[in-house]
Amino acid sequence: MKWNDILAEIYSALMVNKVRTVLTMLGIVIGIGSVISMLAIGQGAQNSVESKIQSVGANLLQVMPGAQRTPGTRVASARGSAETLTLDDATAIESDPLVKAVSPELEGRYQIVGNGNNTNTTVDGVYPAYTEVRNVTMEQGSFISGEHVQQLSKVAVLGPTVRDDLFGENASVVGQKIRINGTQFTVIGVTAEKGGSGFGSQDDMIFVPLSTEQRFLVGGNYISTLGVEVAKENDMTEAQQEITNLLLSRHNIADPQKADFSILNQADLVATASSVTQTFTTLLSAVASISLIVGGIGIMNMMLTTVTERTKEIGLRRAIGAKRKDIRTQFLLEAVVLTLLSGLIGVLVGAGIAFAMSHFGIVEAQVSLSAVILAFGVSAAIGIIFGYYPARRAAELSPIEALRYE
């Protein structure tokens, strides 16, 4: 039997009962569409989390002080509250050959007044290296310079969220005055928007010279965070170990378990976030895949019904010389074509759902080529698996018994 004849027979068979064919396809369409959209949401979420982590700096290690303990007690306050890191620690770390740049920081939360408005936000005392270590670019003006740090200049760089809160959206603010905790500062720039909100977002921060914050806002010489940019991504773990050993030696601590600092590895954060989102995506896809099994059962049910309805036709074909493999091939291809067509529609439906979610800002979603290939592969597999038994049953019908069937 020629392939064009087989395809013509398949088309005719599927068009005999259009409503039944559409309803049978619907189960596969829903299943494939669900899997595609779930994978797209998972991939988009993973990319979004990774990009936000990467946006705070490339190959980044964050060194933070440990918890502050009250003398004479065993009670410790929150991690990062101790005053155990200094600028000398930053200088020592900077000499490590694996380290590209170091950004000492001192954060505090203060009331800010400007242009008749006020807000409460984080003020971060920094060095010029902050822009390199934390991937910061400027929208207006300039960032903190080495001269500002040396001269204890009362200058400030605003994040875009702070700028909008105090002076209005997209306002030109270079040269404007603000008051931080009662001390007047001159605005010299605005950082470019990075996205994100809430506590810790770089968009909702004010940057001042580290020396200025230590002298006029905090009244101490300690620092709250050391941002360390490692030269090569492959050296992250080794650099973390070297910095740990260096600080333990500098702080005269023999037992690493009693370290008065902690180091957060950005690579570990990315790996953990990726693992969580992948697990979540797999779970959602597994739930969505249940509908594929239901759809496959629907395909088998339809094909068995078709075999019953076309028993006389099968007998006639066998009587005039059709081989069992011809009958088997025809019915198996009917199932495969049905599922592949359903898979194509399902991919379009899933991609449409993903696009709509991204377009309306509901959730980040990204359809990948691997997900589309997987969808078609699953469709073909369903057609073969659930279509094989009906095709085999049709092929094994006795021509004489089939011709007698009423």
Side-chain angles (χ1 to χ4, degrees):
M1 195 172 185
K2 296 181 180 180
W3 281 102
N4 57 341
D5 294 332
I6 292 177
L7 293 176
E9 287 292 336
I10 290 173
Y11 177 79
S12 299
L14 295 180
M15 291 297 102
V16 167
N17 193 327
K18 296 179 181 178
V19 174
R20 183 174 65 187
T21 300
V22 170
L23 292 176
T24 303
M25 291 172 60
L26 193 59
I28 303 297
V29 170
I30 293 173
I32 293 294
S34 300
V35 171
I36 287 290
S37 58
M38 291 301 100
L39 289 175
I41 292 171
Q43 184 65 49
Q46 181 175 338
N47 292 343
S48 178
V49 170
E50 289 181 3
S51 64
K52 286 181 179 179
I53 294 175
Q54 295 286 359
S55 71
V56 302
N59 302 339
L60 182 65
L61 296 174
Q62 295 188 68
V63 185
M64 296 171 289
Q68 180 70 53
R69 292 186 178 275
T70 304
T73 73
R74 302 181 65 181
V75 178
S77 58
R79 178 170 293 277
S81 60
E83 301 175 2
T84 54
L85 295 178
T86 65
L87 286 173
D88 290 338
D89 291 328
T91 302
I93 292 173
E94 200 167 16
S95 63
D96 190 306
L98 300 179
V99 172
K100 183 178 180 181
V102 176
S103 172
E105 303 168 35
L106 177 57
E107 289 187 0
R109 198 164 182 88
Y110 303 99
Q111 192 71 21
I112 316 298
V113 178
N115 194 38
N117 299 309
N118 69 86
T119 185
N120 189 281
T121 192
T122 299
V123 177
D124 198 0
V126 297
Y127 269 24
Y130 184 90
T131 55
E132 177 183 356
V133 174
R134 300 285 190 167
N135 288 339
V136 172
T137 55
M138 300 301 297
E139 178 184 322
Q140 296 180 25
S142 59
F143 198 71
I144 307 298
S145 67
E147 184 178 354
H148 291 142
V149 175
Q150 291 176 359
Q151 297 181 359
L152 282 75
S153 302
K154 295 178 182 178
V155 295
V157 176
L158 308 184
T161 300
V162 180
R163 182 268 315 275
D164 294 346
D165 289 344
L166 295 178
F167 297 96
E169 190 171 350
N170 298 321
S172 179
V173 297
V174 175
Q176 297 285 344
K177 306 293 183 181
I178 62 172
R179 301 188 72 84
I180 303 176
N181 202 32
T183 302
Q184 182 171 283
F185 286 75
T186 300
V187 178
I188 61 171
V190 178
T191 61
E193 184 176 358
K194 279 198 169 188
S197 60
F199 181 75
S201 168
Q202 289 182 349
D203 291 348
D204 193 19
M205 279 187 179
I206 296 177
F207 304 97
V208 301
L210 175 60
S211 57
T212 303
E213 179 153 355
Q214 288 177 326
R215 174 70 64 84
F216 299 105
L217 299 178
V218 175
N221 293 323
Y222 64 92
I223 55 179
S224 58
T225 307
L226 276 172
V228 180
E229 182 183 7
V230 180
K232 297 179 180 180
E233 184 178 354
N234 294 336
D235 294 334
M236 291 281 285
T237 302
E238 184 179 353
Q240 180 177 356
Q241 187 58 53
E242 289 188 3
I243 293 171
T244 299
N245 295 336
L246 174 64
L247 292 180
L248 288 173
S249 175
R250 285 184 53 79
H251 295 185
N252 298 315
I253 299 174
D255 185 0
Q257 299 297 324
K258 297 181 180 180
D260 58 359
F261 62 90
S262 61
I263 300 179
L264 185 64
N265 190 325
Q266 184 192 55
D268 293 340
L269 280 179
V270 172
T272 301
S274 298
S275 176
V276 171
T277 53
Q278 286 173 359
T279 301
F280 183 65
T281 302
T282 301
L283 178 61
L284 290 178
S285 300
V287 173
S289 297
I290 295 175
S291 59
L292 285 175
I293 298 175
V294 176
I297 294 172
I299 294 286
M300 179 181 286
N301 181 60
M302 173 187 170
M303 295 307 300
L304 287 172
T305 303
T306 300
V307 170
T308 301
E309 292 176 346
R310 296 165 63 186
T311 299
K312 273 197 169 185
E313 176 192 331
I314 295 169
L316 182 59
R317 288 179 183 276
R318 291 294 311 280
I320 62 177
K323 299 179 181 179
R324 286 187 175 182
K325 70 174 184 178
D326 295 327
I327 303 297
R328 185 167 54 245
T329 299
Q330 179 182 343
F331 280 87
L332 188 58
L333 282 177
E334 282 186 24
V336 172
V337 168
L338 193 65
T339 53
L340 284 178
L341 183 59
S342 304
L344 175 60
I345 299 173
V347 168
L348 295 177
V349 170
I353 293 173
F355 175 78
M357 286 185 172
S358 296
H359 180 73
F360 293 106
I362 300 174
V363 67
E364 191 79 21
Q366 179 180 335
V367 179
S368 63
L369 178 61
S370 59
V372 174
I373 294 174
L374 176 64
F376 280 109
V378 169
S379 298
I382 289 174
I384 294 171
I385 294 171
F386 289 93
Y388 178 77
Y389 174 71
R392 181 183 174 186
R393 180 175 175 179
E396 291 180 350
L397 284 175
S398 168
I400 297 176
E401 294 298 327
L403 288 171
R404 289 178 178 174
Y405 182 80
E406 294 293 339

